[in-house]
Amino acid sequence: MQTPYFLFVGALVLLHFIATSSATIIVANNHNNSASDLNALLAFKATIFDPQRIIPTNWSTSSSVCNWIGITCNARHHRVAAINLSYMGIVGTIPPELGNLSFLVWLNVRNNSFHGHLPTELSRLHRLKYINLASNDFEGEFPSWLGCLSALWYINFEYNRFSGSLSGRLSNFTKLETIRLDYNFFTGNLSEEFSALPKLTVLDIQFNQLVGPLPQALFNLSSLQIIGFTNNSLSGYLPAHICDYLPQLKGLYLSLNNFEGEIPSGIGECSGLQVLSLSYNKFRGYIPREIWNLTTLTRLVLGGNDLTGEIPKVIDNLYNLEKLGMENANVTGILPQEVGNLSKLEVVQLTSNRLRGPITLKLFNISTLQFISLSENSFSGELPSTLGVFLPNLEELYLGENTFTGAILTSISNASRLRVLDIGGNHFTGAIPHSLGNLRLLEVLSVTNNDFFGDLRSNGLSFITSLANCKNLKSLRITGNPLNGFLPKSTGNLSSSLESFHAGRCGIKSEIPSSIGNLSNLVELYFENNSLTGLIPATMKWFLKLQRIDLSDNQILGAIPSEFCNLLNLGELGLGQNKLSGMVPSCLGNVTTLRYVYLNSNNLSSVIPTSFWSLRDILELDMSGNYLTGSLPAEIGNFKALVTLNLSNNQYLGGIPSTIGALQDLQGLSLEHNKLQGSIPDSMKNMLQLRHLDLSFNHLEGVIPNSLQIERTDSSWRAIRKFHEPVFSLK
């Protein structure tokens, strides 16, 4: 949305620079153009591909280069002064001939797909003042020859693949005002050469791989307005008097590094500071009281540190504050009601602290708020009866993992822009209100692990019908509430965008409606630990994107539907602890994405189909507690990635195949309570990761292999062995 604005501003600046050498811009005829400029641009044309086919047709020798799209000439010499090919989707490289454009002042190829190294011939562009290569795929080191371009005032190489050290490469830019190198792969330490950049106002090297401390010279550049080093691996301490020589500093971006010590109180001397971002470092101690006097602050981001103390009442001094980020920072005490005086606040992020007590009602009256996260604290009490009425801009509300009580009132539906509502892990009671269906933009609803209740007469799940109005709903999580109702047929009317549906431990007492097959974009479905009855609906064959399904611990009847074999993205199949019967479908062997299969504690019979043993990437397999028979096939050795195998409490016959020794990553093997015979294969000595082995209650005989008799206590192996001597003959 901001691109047209920046292009407009860029055009104005471009005109300014060209106008400094000429009052007007004159379009020269072809015979007035320098032949070297023409040849340089033709060489450029030959190295690029324009998917819009603008340059191949427009850059023609039949017209003046000054008429070519993206080219601007100066008036006095009729030479190429500017190239602006930004946002054109061009693919290609920068040719060395471009260095022959000796009058070039402005080079902007932002947001294309240029690649390769920058040619050293560009060092001849002595008039160049502005170079913008952002958002391409250029690579190589930061060019040392850029220091030869003494007129440069703007460098932007962000979002490329430049790498190597910057040490010794940022000097000689006596006119440089802006340098943006974020989102590259620069490494190493920074040197003290910043003292040679007297006019620098913006230094942005965020999201790289720099290490070591920040050079002291950086804090002596009185012209600096922006310092950006977010997401590197910088370390050390910030100077106590950090702002003594930074009177114009507006933004300090140092989050996601390894800085330590206390946050210096000297930051309070940066009286014009607008953004203070120090999150996710190793700072400790109290937040300096001087910070609460920075009335120009719009963003205060201190989360992810080991801070001490409470949020003070004087926080309302920060009357321009738009974002308060102090999550995971060990903050204690109550949230002062003065927070409610911050009338410009848009984001409150206080997750994972030790805050307690009720939330000031004034917080929910700040109409500018878009994001509130108070999760994982010890907040208590009831939410205000007007929740949502004064929050017309609220988009995300996270109140999970606290000790809130009371009901969720219908007033929440007044927050009409709400996309995420997470109130899980509290003690909310009553019915889940139908008014949630009025939140037409809702994408995520989580009310898990509360005390919302219902009964069969009132049907505590009836609110699902109203959620059909939420056409953008992607995640619905109601697990862990005693709703004690039935899934309405209208469950199938939920958003076709729904990807995640969690309704475990809800006391559901019904069949799964066949209409659920309409939810064709489901990725995960968890209905575990309920009282579901009836058959698994065949309409689940439409869950072509499904990756995880858990229907375990219910009372589901019938056979495992062969329709599951159509779910070729399925990674987890949980059907344990039901009343399923019949055979394991042979076609499940075609679902090669399966990693976790739990069919335990059912009434399955017959043999495991041969095709099933071809699932080479399976990690956990539990078919215990059924009536499976036959012998263990040699193909069991195909499960080389297997970590847990439980076939106990079945009716397997025959011996343990020697190929089982190929399961070298296996940590748990349970074959107890079968009818296995013969000896324990010596190949099991190769199963060095085995932690649990249970072969009891079989008809095994012979000598226990030495490798299973030795108690190994090193960190890589610890076995728990159970042999039932009456059915295990030792010789």
Side-chain angles (χ1 to χ4, degrees), residues 315-355:
I315 190 173
D316 60 357
N317 288 342
L318 309 182
Y319 51 83
N320 285 303
L321 201 64
E322 297 173 1
K323 178 176 181 179
L324 175 62
M326 296 178 64
E327 77 283 2
N328 193 26
N330 200 33
V331 179
T332 59
I334 63 172
L335 188 62
Q337 65 177 359
E338 286 76 10
V339 170
N341 297 331
L342 301 175
S343 60
K344 298 181 180 180
L345 207 56
E346 297 176 0
V347 174
V348 175
Q349 171 57 284
L350 297 174
T351 300
S352 299
N353 282 290
R354 293 191 290 154
L355 296 165

Side-chain angles (χ1 to χ4, degrees), residues 483-513:
L483 298 173
N484 299 320
F486 56 88
L487 287 171
K489 293 181 179 179
S490 57
T491 300
N493 295 333
L494 289 170
S495 168
S496 60
S497 300
L498 194 66
E499 298 176 357
S500 176
F501 193 177
H502 289 224
R505 294 183 288 111
C506 286
I508 303 175
K509 306 177 189 300
S510 68
E511 297 184 359
I512 301 174

